């Protein structure tokens, strides 16, 4: 186990197990600060699954979800601490291991943490508080109704008596667990932690260089593995000569592994296992492998583009939504605007490459995994490798970026397979950057042919979109689909959406605001053209479309990610960003201009304005204004603003230069020279305004990203540049 | 007398005998032979800056620096600047506005920022951008990186 690895856990049984595993010499690194205070670990009292208190009053709160930089290791414990009614500086936060029996959903994805946990985390804190109050009542003989709490004390105001949570901990732990649905919650006006800018709980540790991330996991005798996989997606291993690699310096084993369960688990590969990652990488180059790459023959980006063009010329997609008779209304419209838009495949490129550390011993598997979905890894390993879920332990490490890539658990399955082949030896699997980019699950590309009809007054009366996307057997992949209810559906009387699906072998997956990050560009870009043709600007057109208070769509669905779009909330952020940016007084000409974009995703309403200069091919973004409505409360304003500004930087980089291309299934980008990420010099000043409305708080990891893409492209056009219909803006090869 | 594959590195002020091949990048020697985690692997090609360390005080990309070429130069990682007054100013500024999101690139960011302020205690915005351009932050914390460097440099002025 690690030097300083954050595998400390509230589960004392697990703690003892891990301590025993690594031996007494390493136990200190696993000890929670709370435990370090008292020599006797019995002084640490586990009150609930989430709250542990030591007799000195230090409160340890479990953070249940994976931390990928979205701030949940801070924001979710803040919700607990708020209702527990302690001081934040009394709190020590530890990452919970994967344990659905205690923590239920433990995922990072869909901007769902705040939306799903706003109430349950508060209830968890309130339950622990109620147990402390009951303990004080029991100890003092006073009725609980006369007791109150504040800053880690239970108080009896009539007598002036008070008891610290630390001294009540043991008695509190003996109280029956309260019914969560009935615990008393604070009036939000009394919040003292929620809403206060709060520094991330790991920030100081990161600055000390502590071993927090998956890649930092260290154990005595740990081996380092790399995997050589097929150069093209869908490839099968025909033959392997591993003799030279086996003889190379530092190499411990070379293993040929058959693919199991597809690209989201493990494809055919050869693993090189060595004493140092570098030796494994060097020996990998000595492998002589023969691959059957037939499955990906013809799967090239150019071929897909030609197919999409053919499909759009034929104009016969399957119907996704039909309201009225849009083709007939187009034929009689005073003015018709038509345009084709496209966007490319892109990669996640988390800065910490995919990795996982695993130890298989006596039929049990222990993993240190930077994963957004530990449950998925455990389930796949059970199914594909036959290790029962109850024989698997997953320590969720801090994660060097997720963006949806780590919703896939392929690296967990692979590390487990390696560990199973090397029983008793801890094995760390680490992908290099080229593999990380070439073995991704990409944001799918797509093409849209739009038409819009305007009447004599410039009113939008008809709208059509023919969408070409990717999937298999006529069904779009879940990250390549479009909701029939996509804006402006329901707000234009005559509307037709059609879709066709191109079969692909290229793996696809959700990438930060999946679907939305691509559709925002196409729809808001085209609507900017429609507004221009109508003699107005895009925000004016949007406000007209949203003029009436309407709710479009259902509030819930199976995923809990319902798509109820409320026009009033859209108007709120649009009006705010226009005011903030001085839109009405914006200048034009001289190569400078402002562009607008709006998008609704993950229950967040975002309106954004970009101020840019264009000189030849060069684009300079000066400033970005964001107005956001994510409900009634911002849990941690410091983290929340960071999510928004980060999404802006991400979206600008995507739009400017990111593109994954491929020929016969071979991905053509390998590193940050050809797949460029945002850099500091391209980063504008960013201003963020919150429009608080009486709606349940929702998440911020994703919804700020989509509208920045059209805000940028529309600004480039306003500045006298090209109308950008095809992304990326600058072509990289 | 050192063998052909033995190297006496000076890491954070201490001599460390490393037995490894001469072409092993300094990054992997620091992470896996010395056992330091304040130096990160991002790209392996000198393109992202996550592996930035100081070599005799100057920032270098340890992922493309072969062990055999380090010689007697002093290697300093994030762990080695913890008590340095300039680093402390940077840490304070970094925490004051909580720069990091996932945090993975931040060791490299700090090492580059430290090298910048050591040579140029009050950099302009353009100088900050120029010095930090080689350090990718995938989370996009750049506005706060700029701000934190400004805070740390203003404390220098004050």
């Amino acid at each position: 186990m690690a030097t300083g690895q954050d595998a400390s856990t509230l589960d004392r049984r697990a703690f003892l197990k891990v301590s025993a595993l690594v031996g007494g010499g390493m136990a200190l690194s696993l000890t929670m600060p709370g435990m370090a205070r008292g020599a006797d670990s019995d002084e640490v009292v586990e009150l609930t699954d989430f709250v542990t208190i030591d007799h000195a009053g230090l409160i340890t709160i479990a953070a249940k979800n994976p931390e990928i930089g979205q701030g949940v290791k801070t924001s979710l414990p803040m919700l607990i601490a708020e209702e527990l009614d302690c001081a934040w500086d009394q709190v020590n936060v530890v990452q919970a291991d994967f344990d659905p029996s205690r923590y239920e959903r433990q995922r990072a994805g869909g901007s769902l943490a705040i939306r799903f946990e706003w109430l349950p985390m508060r209830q968890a804190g309130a339950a622990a508080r109620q147990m402390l109050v009951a303990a004080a009542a029991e100890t003092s003989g006073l009725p609980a109704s006369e007791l109150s709490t504040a800053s880690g004390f239970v108080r009896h105001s009539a007598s002036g008596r008070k008891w610290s949570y630390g001294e009540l901990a043991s008695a509190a732990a003996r109280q029956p667990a309260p019914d969560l649905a009935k615990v008393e919650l604070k009036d939000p006006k009394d919040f003292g932690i929620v809403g206060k800018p709060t520094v991330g709980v790991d920030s100081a540790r990161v600055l000390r260089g502590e071993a927090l991330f998956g890649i930092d996991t260290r154990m005595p005798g740990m081996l380092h593995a790399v995997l050589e996989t097929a150069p093209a997606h869908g490839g099968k291993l025909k033959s392997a000569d591993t003799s030279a690699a086996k003889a190379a310096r530092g190499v411990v084993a070379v293993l040929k592994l058959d693919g199991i369960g597809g690209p989201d688990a493990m494809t055919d590969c050869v693993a090189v296992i060595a004493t140092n990652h570098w030796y494994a990488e060097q020996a990998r180059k000595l492998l002589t492998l023969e691959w059957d790459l037939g499955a990906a023959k013809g799967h090239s980006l150019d071929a897909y583009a030609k197919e999409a063009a053919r499909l759009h010329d034929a104009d016969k997609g399957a119907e996704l939504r039909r309201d009225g008779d849009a083709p007939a209304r187009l034929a009689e419209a005073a003015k018709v605007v038509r345009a084709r838009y496209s966007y490319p495949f892109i990669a996640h490129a988390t800065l910490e490459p995919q990795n996982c550390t695993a130890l298989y011993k006596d039929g049990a598997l222990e993993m240190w995994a930077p994963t957004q979905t530990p449950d998925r890894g455990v389930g796949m390993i059970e199914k594909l490798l036959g290790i029962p879920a109850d024989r698997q332990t997953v320590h969720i490490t801090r994660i060097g970026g997720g963006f949806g890539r780590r919703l896939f658990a392929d690296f967990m399955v692979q590390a487990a397979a390696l560990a199973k082949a090397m029983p008793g030896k801890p094995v760390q699997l680490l992908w290099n950057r080229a593999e990380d980019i070439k073995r991704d699950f990409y944001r799918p590309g797509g093409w849209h042919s739009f038409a819009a009809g305007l009447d004599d007054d410039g009113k939008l009366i008809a709208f059509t979109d023919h969408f070409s996307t990717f999937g298999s057997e006529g069904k779009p992949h879940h990250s390549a689909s479009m909701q029939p209810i996509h804006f402006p559906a329901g707000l234009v009387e005559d509307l037709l959406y059609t879709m066709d699906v191109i079969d692909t072998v290229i793996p696809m997956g959700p990438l930060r605001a999946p679907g939305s990050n691509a559709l925002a560009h196409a729809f808001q870009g085209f609507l900017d053209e429609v507004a221009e043709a109508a003699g107005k600007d895009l925000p004016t057109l949007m406000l007209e479309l949203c003029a009436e208070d309407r709710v479009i769509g259902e509030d819930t669905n199976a995923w809990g990610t319902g798509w109820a779009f409320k026009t009033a909330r859209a108007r709120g952020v649009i009006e705010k960003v226009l005011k903030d940016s001085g839109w009405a007084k914006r200048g034009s000409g001289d190569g400078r201009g402002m562009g607008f974009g709006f998008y609704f995703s993950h229950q967040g309403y975002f309106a954004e304005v970009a101020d840019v200069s264009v000189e030849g091919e060069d684009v300079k973004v000066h400033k970005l204004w964001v107005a956001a409505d994510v409900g009634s409360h911002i849990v941690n304003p410091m983290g929340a603003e960071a999510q928004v500004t980060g999404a802006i930087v991400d979206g600008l980089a995507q739009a400017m230069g990111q593109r994954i291309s491929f020929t016969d299934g071979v991905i053509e980008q390998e590193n940050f020279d050809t797949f460029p990420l945002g850099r500091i010099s391209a980063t504008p000043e960013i201003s963020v305004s919150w429009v608080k409305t009486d709606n349940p708080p929702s998440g911020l990891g994703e919804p700020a990203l989509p509208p920045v893409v059209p805000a940028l492209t529309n600004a480039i056009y306003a500045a006298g540049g090209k109308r950008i219909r095809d992304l990326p803006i600058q072509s990289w090869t | 007398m050192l063998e052909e594959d033995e190297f006496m590195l000076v890491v954070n002020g201490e001599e460390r005998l490393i037995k490894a091949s001469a072409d092993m990048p300094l990054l992997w020697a620091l992470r896996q032979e010395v056992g330091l985690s304040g130096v990160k692997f991002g790209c392996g090609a000198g393109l992202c800056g996550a592996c930035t360390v100081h070599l005799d005080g100057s920032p270098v990309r340890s992922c493309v620096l072969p062990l055999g070429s380090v010689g007697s130069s002093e290697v300093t990682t994030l762990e080695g600047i913890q008590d340095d007054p300039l680093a402390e100013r940077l840490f304070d500024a970094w925490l004051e506005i909580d720069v990091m999101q996932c945090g993975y690139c931040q060791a490299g960011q700090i090492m580059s920022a430290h090298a910048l302020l050591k040579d140029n205690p009050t950099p302009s915005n353009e100088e900050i951008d120029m010095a930090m351009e080689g350090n990718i932050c995938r989370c996009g914390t750049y506005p706060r990186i700029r701000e934190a460097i400004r805070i740390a440099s203003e404390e220098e002025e004050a």
Side-chain angles (χ1 to χ4, degrees), chain A residues 67-69 198-200 202-204 206-211 213 215-216 218 224 249 275-279 282 347-353 398-401 403 428 430-433 637-638 641-643 645-646 649-650 671-673 677-681 683-684 686, chain B residues 5 19-21 23-25 28-29 31-33 35-45 47-48 50 78-79 82 90-91 94-107 110 128-130 132-146:
Chain A
E67 174 61 64
I68 54 176
T198 302
V199 174
D202 280 342
S203 296
V206 169
L207 293 176
R208 289 195 294 269
E210 287 186 26
F213 297 91
I215 197 175
D216 298 333
R218 292 286 175 272
H224 297 271
R249 178 167 191 170
T275 56
N276 183 304
H277 175 76
W278 175 251
Y279 293 141
Q282 295 309 101
H348 295 83
T350 62
L351 201 58
E352 179 186 11
R398 193 175 174 85
I399 301 171
F403 311 106
Q428 182 166 93
L430 173 62
W431 295 22
N432 65 30
R433 177 54 55 192
M638 203 169 214
E641 190 192 271
Q643 289 308 299
T645 54
V649 172
D650 198 352
N671 214 317
F672 301 134
D673 48 353
L677 298 178
R679 291 188 186 260
I680 195 167
S681 66
T683 303
I686 303 166
Chain B
D5 65 346
K19 193 172 169 63
S21 61
D23 61 353
M24 178 183 286
W28 297 112
R31 282 189 62 83
Q32 298 183 353
E33 304 299 323
L36 296 171
S37 48
V39 49
K40 293 289 196 269
F41 169 56
C43 68
L47 295 168
C48 79
L78 180 64
E79 288 91 340
Q82 291 294 311
L90 283 167
F91 297 152
W94 241 251
L95 292 174
E96 183 182 329
I97 57 170
D98 205 16
V99 169
M100 73 188 66
Q101 292 181 33
C102 87
Y104 191 77
C105 72
Q106 299 291 326
I110 290 279
I128 292 174
D129 280 9
M130 211 181 294
M132 304 303 290
E133 187 70 355
N135 287 83
I136 288 176
C137 173
R138 175 69 180 88
C139 300
T141 65
Y142 302 123
R144 288 189 187 176
I145 288 174
R146 276 188 195 134

